[in-house]
Amino acid sequence: MITTIQFKTLDDLYRFYNQAIFGGELSDCIVNMSRHGGAYGFFAANRWRGENETKKIIHEISINPDFMNRDDIEWHSTLVHEMCHLWQEDFGKPSRGGYHNRQWADKMIQVGLMPTDTGEPGGQLTGQRVTHYIIPDGKFEQVFKTLSSEDLQNLRLRYKPTLAAMSGKPFTVGTSGNDNTDNTEAEGGEESRSGKRKKYTCGCGCNVWGKSGLILKCGICGTDFIEQ
C-alpha cells in the first residue's frame, strides 16, 4: 500500500490545485517523482498514451523528491509552477526548446507565483532557466492558507527521501527532453560557477555530487557530507 498512498497524495494535490487555482480546466495528468537534472520539478507534454479505444494522450508532471523536505507551501508551489506549463501547452503557445516565455510568466503571476531567473525579486521573468518565489497574499498563497491542519495532514507525503538535498536550491538546472520533441520544462535554481560537480562523502561512506559549498547531512548516519 505504500506506493498507492504516496502517489495518491500527489494526485490529490493536483486535483485540489486544478480546482482551486485553474478552475478545473487542466487536463488529466500523471504526477510522479523523479530526480531530473537537479531541478525542483519538470513538465513533459504528451508523454503517455492510453491503451483503450480513445488512445488518449496524457501529460506528465514530476516532482524531485530530493527537494520535498522543504516546507509544504514551497514544494506545492513547484507543482503549481509545472501546472502553469501544462496550462500553456493546452491553452497557450509554449516556446520550443523549453524556453520560459512571457505568456507563461504572465500566467505564473496570475496564479500568485513570481517568475525569476535568480529565485529572488528583480530577476528576469523569462529565459531558459527560470524558477519563482511566492507572491505575498497572491492567489496561490491565499489558496494554500485555506487548507486546514487536517487538510495538510491528509495531503502530506507519508514518506520522504533520506538523502534529500539540504541546500534549498538544486545543484543544476536545465531543460531537456527524452524524445525528439524536446518539450520538457524544468524548474530549478543556480548552476555551480565552474559548471562542475563536486563529490561529497558522509561518515557511513555514502557519496553524493553537487556544486561546491553545499551543506548536506546524511539521513542514514546523521553526519555531515564533506566535500572531497
Side-chain angles (χ1 to χ4, degrees):
M1 293 296 291
I2 292 176
T3 300
T4 301
I5 293 171
Q6 192 80 335
F7 282 88
K8 184 180 184 302
T9 301
L10 296 176
D11 194 51
D12 288 345
L13 280 170
Y14 179 83
R15 290 190 292 110
F16 170 73
Y17 286 115
N18 187 17
Q19 288 294 331
I21 291 181
F22 296 91
E25 68 177 349
L26 299 187
S27 58
D28 291 336
C29 178
I30 289 178
V31 184
N32 61 20
M33 291 177 283
S34 176
R35 293 172 172 87
H36 177 78
Y40 288 139
F42 69 89
F43 166 74
N46 306 320
R47 290 300 169 88
W48 300 85
R49 184 183 67 246
E51 290 300 319
N52 55 25
E53 63 280 0
T54 64
K55 303 296 182 184
K56 185 177 181 179
I57 300 298
I58 303 293
H59 303 314
E60 174 184 341
I61 287 175
S62 193
I63 307 298
N64 190 338
D66 285 345
F67 300 98
M68 281 182 165
N69 282 340
R70 295 178 294 159
D71 290 341
D72 287 333
I73 192 172
E74 293 294 337
W75 76 262
H76 285 199
S77 77
T78 292
L79 174 62
V80 175
H81 174 122
E82 305 307 337
M83 291 170 75
C84 286
H85 285 303
L86 189 154
W87 172 87
Q88 188 178 42
E89 178 68 26
D90 285 350
F91 302 104
K93 295 182 178 179
S95 300
R96 293 185 61 83
Y99 186 85
H100 298 70
N101 64 21
R102 187 55 193 249
Q103 182 189 58
W104 171 85
D106 288 343
K107 186 64 174 180
M108 286 279 287
I109 295 170
Q110 179 187 340
V111 306
L113 302 177
M114 179 60 68
T116 166
D117 64 344
T118 64
E120 304 294 338
Q124 295 293 319
L125 302 182
T126 62
Q128 201 70 28
R129 299 166 179 163
V130 182
T131 182
H132 68 266
Y133 63 86
I134 298 168
I135 298 173
D137 203 35
K139 187 171 185 178
F140 170 77
E141 186 175 81
Q142 291 177 14
V143 167
F144 181 85
K145 287 181 177 179
T146 66
L147 292 168
S148 66
S149 57
E150 182 179 359
D151 292 332
L152 280 174
Q153 186 60 38
N154 290 334
L155 293 171
R156 182 165 287 128
L157 290 174
R158 301 302 191 267
Y159 301 89
K160 294 193 176 179
T162 59
L163 293 177
M166 302 295 288
S167 65
K169 287 188 177 181
F171 309 143
T172 61
V173 60
T175 56
S176 62
N178 56 19
D179 58 23
N180 293 330
T181 60
D182 192 27
N183 57 357
T184 302
E185 301 277 1
E187 183 215 346
E190 301 172 350
E191 289 185 279
S192 63
R193 293 180 181 177
S194 67
K196 297 180 179 179
R197 293 187 178 189
K198 299 293 184 178
K199 180 180 178 181
Y200 294 78
T201 304
C202 71
C204 65
C206 291
N207 297 316
V208 297
W209 283 260
K211 68 181 181 181
S212 180
L214 293 176
I215 301 174
L216 306 171
K217 185 178 292 292
C218 178
I220 298 175
C221 67
T223 63
D224 292 335
F225 280 90
I226 304 301
E227 185 176 336
Q228 303 302 305

